[in-house]
Amino acid sequence: MTDATAPLEGTPLIAPSSTDHPLYEGIVEACRTVYDPEIPVNIYDLGLIYTIDINAENEVSILMSLTAPGCPVAGEMPGWIAEAVEPMAGVKHVNVELIWEPPWGMEMMSDEARLELGFM
């Protein structure tokens, strides 16, 4: 018997983003303007933005995590993302949700972030 709550084989751990939406690249760039105050790399390249979902009404839903649950700015960072994205032309509304699954890991960083932090 299998656990009904376990993900099905092949189900992605992170929901896919709306990469084909015309607003997607601009939203990514807006996310890149937000930095973790303890790390000199933007949160997008750190791999903290898991999903950017944009619906037909240009409402944006962002799923993000933090490097650690005890992050001192945990309560503030989702608001920083919303403040960076919401002023964009065409964006109707932004909802940022903090999630912990899957847990963030250093392998989620971009090559640029790894290079900046001396891991490459």
Side-chain angles (χ1 to χ4, degrees):
M1 184 171 185
T2 60
D3 182 4
T5 61
L8 299 173
E9 186 174 327
T11 301
L13 295 176
I14 298 172
S17 292
S18 304
T19 57
D20 57 345
H21 194 284
L23 291 174
Y24 178 79
E25 289 300 323
I27 291 170
V28 167
E29 289 309 310
C31 289
R32 282 189 166 125
T33 68
V34 179
Y35 284 74
D36 182 319
E38 297 178 329
I39 304 171
V41 175
N42 70 73
I43 62 151
Y44 186 85
D45 288 326
L46 275 176
L48 297 178
I49 302 295
Y50 284 6
T51 303
I52 299 171
D53 183 45
I54 312 158
N55 70 17
E57 289 78 36
N58 292 348
E59 296 168 328
V60 180
S61 176
I62 297 175
L63 299 179
M64 69 171 293
S65 193
L66 299 173
T67 55
C71 177
V73 293
E76 299 172 54
M77 203 172 293
W80 298 345
I81 294 295
E83 289 171 2
V85 174
E86 216 154 35
M88 286 182 54
V91 171
K92 184 175 181 182
H93 174 74
V94 178
N95 180 55
V96 181
E97 183 181 346
L98 200 54
I99 61 172
W100 302 107
E101 290 297 324
W104 178 85
M106 291 177 58
E107 70 281 356
M108 295 174 164
M109 289 191 288
S110 70
D111 288 344
E112 293 82 4
R114 288 184 194 155
L115 187 61
E116 178 73 27
L117 296 174
F119 296 124
M120 287 184 73

